Amino acid sequence: SAPLTVDTRPPFSMAELVATVSGADVKVWRPDSQRAECTASTALRCEVSALQWSPTNGALACGGFDGRAHLLKPSGELLGVIPHASSPEDVAEANGAINALAFSKGSRYLATGGADAEVVIWDLKRKSKLKTLSGHVDEVNAVVYSPGDQHVASGGASGSVLLHSPVSGLAVGEMRVVSDVPDADGGITSLHYSPHRRQMLASSSMDGRVQLWDTGIRRLGQNLQASAGASPCWQASFSPTASGLVAAACGDGRVTLLDVNAPGASKGVGSIALGAEARCLSWRSDGKVIAAGSSDGRVVWIDPRMLSSSLGAGYGGAGSAVLYTTAAHVGAARRGGV
């Protein structure tokens, strides 16, 4: 069964929608307190490697293996494809899979990064390429706009995090982790800005770690072990409500909570085993639920308060943390996510 890509409109609420994909199969779900109902299912013409909801909730961007972004309505209806067929020059330059997507604050611009080692900013209103951001030497796995759209941050398989101006297209900073483990793969797998500290950026990496960067001074603040052994950390995401709390989706099969403000070297405050590799996650807007996608095609809905006594009086241990599980894409054997 397949690695699943689960992507919610980050952060999501129970009244909002959750999108999942495995291969070319994209589904939209409406979760409540006891179950999630599938409200739309769309089979695209190519496999999808990334999902991203627009901040204005009107579109779901799907990064295709064909090098194009397929835009869907929440109903599953196709809105359009970027680059559009009417732009043959842009279509001809679409090389390799799109691994990452990020909307600007107003949803007019879409940044994509992928196998061609470039980040491209698209003007969705004009349906044309606006900027190409260069500097990576290997494929781009993560892209995110900073709060206020001042920068576009991107993370590459080489382990570098680049900051570009979306206005000029010029690189304004580069950050990199030097691993203390010989021959370790430090490739970046995700990026997420803190909603509490505008210049704090979290990244996750193939060596199982979560990095915290101060983008103001372009410096690494913390480099934390999240996943056990040699397994990767696929995604790290800040809590929308608890300052300093980070959830990590780990290749060791766990969703791990880290308190980056905790004293001492140990930052782990709780974890839960999913029974399969944890590939992606997203917080609910009130910080009381995490949706985690597993490699066997399930979405596991988790109450993080049950994983750590520091999050509230409801602490009951990992065994009581699972609210319910949704079999979203069971039986598939392709890359995917939530």
Side-chain angles (χ1 to χ4, degrees):
S1 52
L4 178 70
T5 293
V6 180
D7 209 359
T8 58
R9 185 166 50 249
F12 73 95
S13 75
M14 284 301 190
E16 294 172 339
L17 300 175
V18 176
T20 67
V21 65
S22 181
D25 183 24
V26 180
K27 294 181 180 180
V28 177
W29 305 82
R30 186 179 299 279
D32 60 27
S33 60
Q34 296 181 328
R35 63 186 293 269
E37 176 189 2
C38 183
T39 60
S41 181
T42 302
L44 295 177
R45 293 184 178 181
C46 67
E47 292 194 16
V48 173
S49 54
L51 293 175
Q52 183 66 52
W53 285 102
S54 68
T56 53
N57 310 335
L60 174 67
C62 308
F65 274 59
D66 61 354
R68 304 167 77 188
H70 303 253
L71 304 176
L72 302 178
K73 293 181 179 180
S75 64
E77 179 183 350
L78 184 67
L79 279 170
V81 179
I82 300 294
H84 193 266
S86 62
S87 304
E89 181 177 335
D90 289 342
V91 173
E93 293 179 1
N95 297 317
I98 291 179
N99 298 330
L101 302 149
F103 282 95
S104 64
K105 187 175 181 180
S107 300
R108 174 165 178 173
Y109 304 108
L110 177 69
T112 63
D116 60 1
E118 293 182 334
V119 176
V120 178
I121 299 178
W122 302 94
D123 185 329
L124 297 182
K125 184 176 181 179
R126 296 182 177 180
K127 299 181 180 179
S128 62
K129 182 187 296 186
L130 183 65
K131 299 285 183 182
T132 298
L133 313 181
S134 303
H136 286 285
V137 297
D138 208 334
E139 62 182 296
V140 177
N141 293 327
V143 177
V144 65
Y145 275 88
S146 67
D149 295 348
Q150 182 180 5
H151 297 133
V152 173
S154 54
S158 65
S160 63
V161 177
L162 301 183
L163 300 177
H164 283 86
S165 165
V167 177
S168 68
L170 299 177
V172 296
E174 179 176 4
M175 304 175 292
R176 179 186 294 272
V177 173
V178 178
S179 177
D180 53 5
V181 179
D183 301 322
D185 183 353
I188 301 299
T189 55
S190 76
L191 295 170
H192 187 224
Y193 273 97
S194 168
H196 311 286
R197 296 176 58 185
R198 293 172 62 89
Q199 294 185 334
M200 180 178 283
L201 176 67
S203 63
S204 58
S205 55
M206 289 295 295
D207 59 3
R209 293 179 177 270
V210 172
Q211 298 83 26
L212 298 175
W213 307 91
D214 185 331
T215 59
I217 58 176
R218 320 289 197 257
R219 184 176 297 173
L220 178 67
Q222 299 185 52
N223 190 13
L224 308 173
Q225 192 68 41
S227 189
S231 54
C233 180
W234 291 112
Q235 186 175 357
S237 179
F238 285 100
S239 164
T241 56
S243 178
L245 190 66
V246 175
C250 301
D252 63 2
R254 293 181 174 272
V255 172
T256 297
L257 294 182
L258 304 169
D259 184 355
V260 302
N261 294 331
S266 178
K267 306 295 185 180
V269 295
S271 66
I272 184 170
L274 301 188
E277 193 173 4
R279 292 301 300 264
C280 44
L281 55 82
S282 185
W283 292 83
R284 197 170 82 185
S285 58
D286 61 5
K288 296 179 179 179
V289 178
I290 296 172
S294 66
S295 60
D296 58 2
R298 294 174 297 126
V299 182
V300 181
W301 309 85
I302 301 165
D303 185 344
R305 298 169 297 175
M306 296 298 176
L307 300 182
S308 172
S309 58
S310 65
L311 295 182
Y315 175 68
S320 58
V322 174
L323 299 173
Y324 56 91
T325 299
T326 301
H329 299 271
V330 173
R334 298 173 298 275
R335 180 179 178 180
V338 181

